[in-house]
Amino acid sequence: MLALSCVLCQGENWVTVDQERFYLNGSEYHYIGTNYWYGVNMGAPLSGDRDRVRKELDQLISLGVTNLRIMAGGQGPDDREKRIVPSIEPEPMEFNEDVWLGFDFLLNEMRNRGMKAIVPINNYWEWSGGFGQYVEWHGGDFEDPLSFYEMIDVQEHFRAFTEYLLNRENTLNGVLYKEDSTIMAWQLSNEPRIENCTLYQEWISSTVDFIKDIAPHHLVSLGNEGTITNCAREGNEVESLDYVTFHCWAQNWGWFDPKDPSSLDSALVHVREYLDKNVEIANDLHKPAVLEEFGISRDDASYSPDALTTLRDKYYRFVFEYVVDHVKNRSSNIVATNFWAYGGMGRPVSEGGLWRPGDDFIGDPPHEPQGWYSVYDKDSTLSIVKSYNNLLRHITHGISNKMISRSE
Ligand SMILES: *[C@@H]1O[C@H](CO)[C@@H](O)[C@H](O)[C@H]1NC(C)=O
Ligand SMILES: *[C@@H]1O[C@H](CO)[C@@H](O)[C@H](O)[C@H]1NC(C)=O
Ligand SMILES: *[C@@H]1O[C@H](CO)[C@@H](O)[C@H](O)[C@H]1NC(C)=O
């Protein structure tokens, strides 16, 4: 049991982890969620579109989606290409309150709907500033994100940002972020890479301790891509990390060619091997595993929202089937997944081109071809998300009934 230190925490609905499963409100917690990284920006009263957030959250709820992986804003300066703007931190430790109000809004709307957030605090990649920007701000090279781990000023700065984030009081409901059970987990970074596994473990361990000292009720995870990169096992081995993360990018890694539909079947063989291999790490470590990113193109590699998603739908079914089957059989530690990514009511302004300030946010970050992996509010893919979430709910319900009858 948690030693509860805050008054409000008692009434909160925390996601907890016990050995190899997540729990919420007395049942195992399994989910097919999504990535909704732009939610913080979209919630901003001046620069965002709050009505769109409300509608999209309602859409997601109607699909059974309750778990969103969101970015904690990003770093400026706001005149760079290939960045989410406005950033939450346009200059070192100078904040854009409009975007923080967007964060408050998103969390409050999610809370009202009983949703849970996974929040990467940083990013190895450039599209939210992240490692490279911290390095540049402290005299290093933007193109050298690996310096992030070793520069003392950078680490102090990252911790100062994290401290502000965790201690922020939501202006809409008065709840401190560190005491808000809407947040299921803090994540050290989106897709952190490194070459030196010892240094990785040291950084992970000390950063998790730093976060848990401030926010002891929250889970913490790494946010890495898995065995396609170095140190996947070593990173997740750090005891204080509550669960294992991994991502699967069949097309980016050359297993699937969207111009050749027949390549999907062989790609699925690679995908299954990759999922098995990463879940195996979680099994060994006795921690739950979450596949928190996967996606592929629309048919014929089209960037048009009008293109069909026949192959994508098949791929999503395959992944959901994998998760649901394992959950049902209790044959491994995979417990949940988040697809990449919800584009909702947004549409690409420049199909296949870069995002520019003022364009709709969609599921594809600013540095990637717009319309590549986004799932829109009218796509056939949504009915698959919905039916597998229903299935998962039935299975979870069955499990909790069994737990009850066993204890009687
Ligand atoms: C938690 O579970 C109880 C009992 O099953 C239920 O009455 C309650 O509505 C649930 N709370 C939430 C927030 O789901
Ligand atoms: C890796 O990191 C550790 C811990 O910081 C350090 O002692 C070691 O020298 C590094 N190894 C290399 C090859 O840089
Ligand atoms: C789950 O059980 C079914 C029926 O026994 C079996 O066909 C399937 O391969 C199992 N799947 C996993 C992932 O264990």
Side-chain angles (χ1 to χ4, degrees):
M1 256 346 261
L2 291 167
L4 298 175
S5 57
C6 63
V7 180
L8 289 170
C9 291
Q10 312 267 1
E12 294 282 298
N13 247 329
W14 301 98
V15 175
T16 56
V17 62
D18 184 17
Q19 296 277 342
E20 302 168 5
R21 296 285 181 267
F22 294 137
Y23 293 87
L24 174 60
N25 195 27
S27 300
E28 283 191 12
Y29 179 50
H30 297 282
Y31 55 84
I32 289 168
T34 190
N35 282 273
Y36 192 62
W37 54 263
Y38 58 75
V40 164
N41 277 81
M42 194 70 68
L46 300 178
S47 57
D49 181 350
R50 290 186 160 182
D51 195 43
R52 184 177 155 191
V53 175
R54 286 193 194 94
K55 287 181 179 148
E56 289 184 346
L57 296 185
D58 287 343
Q59 288 164 6
L60 289 165
I61 285 290
S62 77
L63 304 170
V65 169
T66 59
N67 189 286
L68 307 182
R69 185 164 174 263
I70 61 176
M71 286 300 289
Q75 287 65 47
D78 285 2
D79 57 2
R80 296 283 176 87
E81 270 204 314
K82 306 181 182 176
R83 289 282 174 97
I84 307 176
V85 291
S87 61
I88 211 162
E89 186 187 16
E91 300 292 335
M93 291 307 286
E94 277 181 25
F95 294 142
N96 181 339
E97 182 61 14
D98 185 49
V99 185
W100 282 107
L101 293 172
F103 211 148
D104 293 350
F105 179 81
L106 178 65
L107 289 177
N108 192 50
E109 292 294 315
M110 287 179 67
R111 182 183 188 82
N112 291 341
R113 291 167 179 78
M115 300 173 101
K116 299 294 169 190
I118 293 168
V119 188
I121 304 173
N122 211 327
N123 197 347
Y124 181 82
W125 304 111
E126 69 196 280
W127 52 276
S128 67
F131 283 22
Q133 190 57 52
Y134 279 110
V135 167
E136 184 183 284
W137 272 339
H138 294 279
D141 182 357
F142 178 71
E143 305 287 335
D144 177 26
L146 285 174
S147 293
F148 172 81
Y149 301 95
E150 291 188 281
M151 291 171 69
I152 290 164
D153 291 354
V154 164
Q155 289 303 315
E156 279 177 2
H157 180 176
F158 172 49
R159 286 189 176 199
F161 176 85
T162 303
E163 200 168 353
Y164 177 84
L165 170 70
L166 301 179
N167 284 302
R168 182 172 169 91
E169 180 178 336
N170 191 312
T171 53
L172 294 169
N173 55 29
V175 182
L176 303 178
Y177 283 20
K178 66 182 174 189
E179 297 177 354
D180 188 350
S181 65
T182 309
I183 295 159
M184 160 177 158
W186 300 107
Q187 200 155 75
L188 302 194
S189 172
N190 177 53
E191 301 194 338
R193 291 187 171 186
I194 199 161
E195 279 153 21
N196 182 336
C197 300
T198 309
L199 177 61
Y200 202 36
Q201 288 187 323
E202 287 173 359
W203 177 74
I204 292 166
S205 175
S206 64
T207 311
V208 176
D209 289 352
F210 179 78
I211 293 170
K212 289 194 170 183
D213 274 350
I214 303 173
H217 311 285
H218 284 135
L219 307 183
V220 181
S221 55
L222 181 54
N224 65 314
E225 296 151 278
T227 51
I228 198 87
T229 56
N230 285 337
C231 316
R233 171 181 283 270
E234 290 85 346
N236 282 285
E237 248 167 32
V238 173
E239 186 106 11
S240 51
L241 285 173
D242 292 292
Y243 63 99
V244 171
T245 50
F246 67 109
H247 303 172
C248 183
W249 287 107
Q251 193 171 328
N252 308 52
W253 298 341
W255 302 336
F256 170 64
D257 172 6
K259 290 281 185 193
D260 171 16
S262 73
S263 67
L264 185 59
D265 285 335
S266 60
L268 295 184
V269 174
H270 288 290
V271 168
R272 183 183 295 282
E273 277 170 9
Y274 189 73
L275 303 188
D276 283 347
K277 195 166 162 185
N278 283 278
V279 171
E280 189 62 35
I281 294 176
N283 295 346
D284 288 351
L285 298 174
H286 302 291
K287 296 181 186 188
V290 179
L291 170 62
E292 47 168 36
E293 292 187 8
F294 72 92
I296 57 166
S297 284
R298 307 178 82 85
D299 287 0
D300 201 29
S302 176
Y303 297 110
S304 163
D306 297 326
L308 295 177
T309 55
T310 322
L311 298 176
R312 178 183 291 171
D313 291 0
K314 185 172 172 189
Y315 183 47
Y316 273 48
R317 267 182 203 286
F318 175 87
V319 173
F320 294 158
E321 195 66 46
Y322 181 95
V323 174
V324 167
D325 204 28
H326 282 262
V327 168
K328 191 168 69 183
N329 287 11
R330 308 187 78 69
S331 46
S332 85
N333 284 4
I334 190 158
V335 293
T337 186
N338 299 73
F339 68 85
W340 184 278
Y342 200 55
M345 300 159 71
R347 295 293 181 269
V349 172
S350 159
E351 288 171 15
L354 292 181
W355 182 85
R356 306 222 175 275
D359 292 356
D360 283 359
F361 281 118
I362 55 174
D364 303 293
H367 69 308
E368 284 187 341
Q370 296 294 291
W372 196 11
Y373 291 139
S374 295
V375 176
Y376 305 109
D377 54 1
K378 53 132 192 100
D379 282 350
S380 55
T381 316
L382 298 184
S383 68
I384 298 166
V385 171
K386 186 172 180 173
S387 66
Y388 279 92
N389 261 321
N390 275 334
L391 198 54
L392 210 43
R393 208 173 41 244
H394 285 300
I395 293 167
T396 308
H397 191 68
I399 293 169
S400 74
N401 282 346
K402 252 185 250 159
M403 280 164 45
I404 291 164
S405 59
R406 231 186 283 135
S407 65
E408 277 167 0

